[in-house]
Amino acid sequence: MSGSPADERRPVSESTLDRPVVAVVLAGGVGSRLYPASRGDRPKQFLPLGTDSDESLLSRTVARLDFADEVLVSTRPAFADEVPEHAPDTEVVVEPAGKDTGPALLYATWEARRRVTGDADTAADPVVVCLPSDHHVPDAEAFAAAMSRGARVAADTGALVAFGVEPTRPDTGYGYIEPGAQHGGYADLAAFHEKPDAETAREYLAAGYRWNAGIFAWTPAALFAAAHDTPLAPLADALEAGEPKRGFDAVEPISIDYAVMERADEAAVVPVDFVWDDLGSWDALERVLGGDAHGNTLDSDALALDASGNVVVSDDKHVSVVGVDDLCVVAYDDRVLVVPKAEAQRVREVVARLKGDGSF
Amino acid sequence: MSGSPADERRPVSESTLDRPVVAVVLAGGVGSRLYPASRGDRPKQFLPLGTDSDESLLSRTVARLDFADEVLVSTRPAFADEVPEHAPDTEVVVEPAGKDTGPALLYATWEARRRVTGDADTAADPVVVCLPSDHHVPDAEAFAAAMSRGARVAADTGALVAFGVEPTRPDTGYGYIEPGAQHGGYADLAAFHEKPDAETAREYLAAGYRWNAGIFAWTPAALFAAAHDTPLAPLADALEAGEPKRGFDAVEPISIDYAVMERADEAAVVPVDFVWDDLGSWDALERVLGGDAHGNTLDSDALALDASGNVVVSDDKHVSVVGVDDLCVVAYDDRVLVVPKAEAQRVREVVARLKGDGSF
């Protein structure tokens, strides 16, 4: 009798990888829930958020990629010129069109292979580690070790690898990964779960599910094999024919999770336990920066009188909060936002309105 | 038997005043509770508050002074150069030092007499109507009629005249005037009362007390006669000797209410019923401008989502309020303020802190 699919997989080796690791940094998004710091022409990854320094999120992301032999930053045309300011020693891959993470990562993976192999030597097919450019990961060493481990799992098993962050709370703002059968250093990926309600989030935590950090590792061969059965097929075909433009015209916008990861036969989850936050909305700053004695998170010139639990952020403005609790108050340029911390996700609604009248 | 002091007064005549009326506009204050619109170098009276137009409060104040034969604007040295921009056809009186309304009004009254009589002809002693530069009075016609009536009371009775606004609510932000014996068109001034608590304010309303609008009328002779018995005596003496500088050096800061009005033997109150608001703090804008369908008062480029009862004011900024109620959100220059409407008076505390570190 043959064993289960998991048993058929090769154990993860301990030796040095015999192929290059390429880190692909996705820097084409805007991070609109961080309006008004983020704007249509000033994406979140270019901002120095969640830090006392003035280093942008992209800059800090690139600084923790020493595990990789090469770094590609994938972005949209409008942001391409500014990427080198934040990531000076990297290659920039410009997405022919903004079609969400599915097309972007397939294209960047194709570019990674092309640049490493020169279109020819598939023996040297790299392992590609794809990661967002705008997340908060303070422990670069733990991060790098986890990435190397994931790269090895991808190389040794041929699976599409997701990284599952150990949850520290039943967060309703993150997607969850349900692990299946355990192997040495990784597990089968049983299922992805959308952002849950509070009750479900507690169940997920109790069941050992992990946060989906949006970080993936795979070989180009594995990703292309999987993509041909998915909505990414038109792009996969076109890329293999060397025609990215045609592929982007043909493919619909879709996330990598929906397009590939959720339906992949060979998907794995590598558990990681570094501190991680997606800095998705203004309330995240309290977690990342920590509050003062009154629970206020004041990362700028600010004055709080009889006020607690507020998050106050600005470019160079002086913000006074008096007698208010648990608000986010954000001031950048000529824009100001006031929203309760508990409703910080609703900044989406503001941005939708602003986009409607062309002022985002 | 002689009658009561009130009976001894002459009835107010209906004929034309036989002396000039000089309006003195007090424009030396800052209006710091309207921070950050008001700043140390940009007082409230220079701002276009409580209006859809871009006319400043001072400009609108001066525009309703047609009842006067001459207008003097009294201000501090730092503001003197800008006064003509808001009040082009007026004389500017520069207070030698900022010592509150008592010294300022005694000095301006002295200047008014000097300019009208040329230091000589006391027969032509004017009636001086003193009024703040930063209040909201939409009905200029009713205002002018009331001022003329008060000027006549001051001329005919020789009393120091306060104007008592008919209260429309038990406001705890205003001082109250208690009228005494009624005469034709005015009453004796029985007492001034400080800003009351809510319970007391209701009692005042029931008892027929009136708001102290900070508007006064008197003849120079009457004011100087009264001032000689008060803390203003050193200034009164010095002014009569033609030495204002010496007088300002000698006098202590004190309000006209404390210094003179509260202790005057001959003080009257003229009841007026025009719409009046002192625009003292940000919550006043709701009263003056009126809220929209959600009770929001948005006098600027603003976006309110699921938010009600807020007052949002800015110079030219775009302010978004989401899911918050009954807040004042104010953004001017590089300053932002967030405070509940009900605590709008506490902006004083912010300003005190800012003054402490020299950033008001």
Side-chain angles (χ1 to χ4, degrees):
Chain A
M1 290 196 302
S2 64
S4 74
D7 291 335
E8 287 166 14
R9 288 181 178 169
R10 292 182 294 164
V12 176
S13 61
E14 295 296 320
S15 62
T16 305
L17 262 178
D18 59 355
R19 53 176 93 196
V21 175
V22 179
V24 166
V25 178
L26 269 186
V30 172
S32 61
R33 280 173 296 156
L34 293 176
Y35 170 88
S38 62
R39 296 284 290 275
D41 58 355
R42 186 178 58 199
K44 174 188 168 194
Q45 57 271 19
F46 290 170
L47 298 168
L49 294 171
T51 176
D52 290 333
S53 81
D54 56 3
E55 279 193 286
S56 69
L57 284 162
L58 174 56
S59 169
R60 281 138 64 204
T61 296
V62 169
R64 58 179 174 261
L65 301 184
D66 279 350
F67 67 87
D69 300 292
E70 191 167 345
V71 176
L72 301 186
V73 178
S74 172
T75 193
R76 67 174 71 185
F79 302 158
D81 285 349
E82 195 175 336
V83 164
E85 296 175 26
H86 304 269
D89 298 323
T90 63
E91 298 280 318
V92 179
V93 175
V94 179
E95 300 155 18
K99 298 228 163 169
D100 208 336
T101 55
L105 285 176
L106 188 63
Y107 177 59
T109 298
W110 176 75
E111 276 284 358
R113 164 192 266 170
R114 209 164 63 91
R115 289 170 191 231
V116 167
T117 66
D119 270 326
D121 181 11
T122 53
D125 215 26
V127 179
V128 179
V129 176
C130 302
L131 62 155
S133 59
D134 57 356
H135 288 180
H136 173 76
V137 181
D139 187 343
E141 205 168 322
F143 178 80
M147 294 303 105
S148 293
R149 191 152 47 86
R152 178 161 295 283
V153 173
D156 288 359
T157 67
L160 305 182
V161 172
F163 292 79
V165 173
E166 183 167 17
T168 53
R169 60 185 181 277
D171 200 294
T172 58
Y174 294 145
Y176 285 73
I177 295 174
E178 179 182 347
Q182 299 288 328
H183 306 282
Y186 69 100
D188 292 339
L189 197 161
F192 281 92
H193 297 279
E194 292 292 301
K195 296 174 184 178
D197 59 30
E199 168 78 27
T200 309
R202 283 190 290 274
E203 291 170 12
Y204 287 175
L205 219 65
Y209 294 8
R210 288 175 165 266
W211 287 335
N212 176 9
I215 310 174
F216 307 101
W218 48 56
T219 61
L223 181 63
F224 272 77
H228 279 297
D229 277 340
T230 75
L232 295 179
L235 178 59
D237 292 342
L239 288 171
E240 286 174 341
E243 300 175 40
K245 173 79 173 61
R246 175 171 67 82
F248 267 84
D249 287 345
V251 74
E252 295 295 317
I254 187 167
S255 77
I256 195 72
D257 300 47
Y258 279 123
V260 176
M261 296 304 295
E262 294 189 5
R263 65 182 94 204
D265 292 327
E266 293 287 316
V269 54
V270 167
V272 298
D273 58 5
F274 49 76
V275 171
W276 169 85
D277 200 297
D278 76 347
L279 286 184
S281 48
W282 286 116
D283 54 319
L285 281 198
E286 181 179 88
R287 295 194 298 264
V288 166
L289 296 172
D292 63 17
H294 298 97
N296 292 308
T297 304
L298 312 174
D299 88 338
S300 57
D301 192 8
L303 172 60
L305 293 178
D306 190 22
S308 70
N310 301 286
V311 174
V312 178
V313 194
S314 80
D315 38 12
D316 55 357
K317 295 185 177 58
H318 183 288
V319 180
S320 300
V321 290
V322 184
V324 294
D325 301 321
D326 301 320
L327 293 182
C328 301
V329 179
V330 188
Y332 275 76
D333 312 318
D334 61 344
R335 304 294 178 105
V336 178
L337 169 80
V338 180
V339 63
K341 259 183 341 195
E343 301 181 50
Q345 305 296 325
R346 300 187 64 186
V347 177
R348 285 186 207 282
E349 300 170 38
V350 173
V351 171
R353 288 281 288 270
L354 295 174
K355 282 182 173 166
D357 57 20
S359 62
F360 175 64
Chain B
M1 291 197 304
S2 65
S4 72
D7 292 335
E8 287 164 18
R9 287 181 180 169
R10 291 181 295 164
V12 175
S13 63
E14 295 297 321
S15 63
T16 305
L17 260 178
D18 58 356
R19 52 178 92 197
V21 175
V22 179
V24 165
V25 178
L26 269 186
V30 173
S32 61
R33 281 173 296 156
L34 292 177
Y35 170 87
S38 63
R39 296 286 288 276
D41 59 354
R42 186 179 57 200
K44 174 189 168 193
Q45 58 270 20
F46 291 169
L47 298 168
L49 294 172
T51 176
D52 291 332
S53 82
D54 56 2
E55 279 193 286
S56 70
L57 285 162
L58 174 56
S59 168
R60 282 139 62 203
T61 296
V62 169
R64 56 180 176 260
L65 301 183
D66 280 349
F67 67 87
D69 299 294
E70 192 167 341
V71 176
L72 301 186
V73 178
S74 172
T75 192
R76 65 174 72 184
F79 303 158
D81 285 349
E82 197 175 335
V83 164
E85 295 175 27
H86 304 268
D89 298 323
T90 63
E91 299 281 317
V92 179
V93 174
V94 179
E95 301 156 18
K99 297 230 165 170
D100 210 336
T101 55
L105 286 177
L106 189 63
Y107 177 60
T109 297
W110 177 75
E111 277 284 0
R113 164 191 266 171
R114 209 166 64 90
R115 289 171 191 230
V116 167
T117 67
D119 268 327
D121 181 12
T122 53
D125 215 28
V127 178
V128 180
V129 175
C130 302
L131 62 155
S133 60
D134 57 355
H135 289 180
H136 172 77
V137 181
D139 187 344
E141 204 168 323
F143 178 80
M147 293 303 104
S148 292
R149 192 153 45 89
R152 176 162 297 283
V153 172
D156 289 358
T157 66
L160 304 181
V161 172
F163 292 79
V165 173
E166 182 167 19
T168 54
R169 60 183 182 279
D171 201 294
T172 59
Y174 294 145
Y176 285 73
I177 295 176
E178 179 183 346
Q182 299 289 324
H183 305 281
Y186 70 99
D188 292 339
L189 198 161
F192 280 92
H193 296 279
E194 292 292 300
K195 296 174 185 179
D197 60 27
E199 169 77 27
T200 309
R202 282 190 291 272
E203 291 169 11
Y204 286 175
L205 219 64
Y209 294 7
R210 287 174 167 268
W211 287 335
N212 177 8
I215 310 174
F216 306 102
W218 47 56
T219 62
L223 181 64
F224 271 78
H228 279 297
D229 278 339
T230 74
L232 294 179
L235 179 58
D237 292 341
L239 289 171
E240 286 174 340
E243 300 175 39
K245 172 81 172 60
R246 177 170 66 80
F248 266 87
D249 287 345
V251 76
E252 296 296 316
I254 187 167
S255 76
I256 194 73
D257 301 48
Y258 278 123
V260 176
M261 295 304 294
E262 294 188 4
R263 64 183 94 204
D265 293 326
E266 294 287 315
V269 52
V270 167
V272 299
D273 58 4
F274 48 75
V275 171
W276 169 85
D277 200 296
D278 77 348
L279 287 182
S281 50
W282 285 116
D283 54 319
L285 281 198
E286 181 180 271
R287 294 195 299 264
V288 166
L289 295 172
D292 63 16
H294 298 95
N296 291 307
T297 304
L298 313 172
D299 90 338
S300 57
D301 191 10
L303 172 61
L305 293 178
D306 192 22
S308 68
N310 301 286
V311 173
V312 178
V313 193
S314 81
D315 39 12
D316 55 356
K317 297 185 176 55
H318 184 287
V319 180
S320 300
V321 289
V322 184
V324 294
D325 302 322
D326 301 320
L327 293 182
C328 301
V329 180
V330 188
Y332 275 75
D333 312 318
D334 60 343
R335 305 295 178 103
V336 178
L337 168 80
V338 180
V339 64
K341 260 185 335 193
E343 301 181 50
Q345 304 296 325
R346 299 187 65 185
V347 176
R348 284 186 209 281
E349 300 171 38
V350 173
V351 171
R353 288 282 289 269
L354 295 175
K355 282 182 173 165
D357 58 18
S359 61
F360 174 65

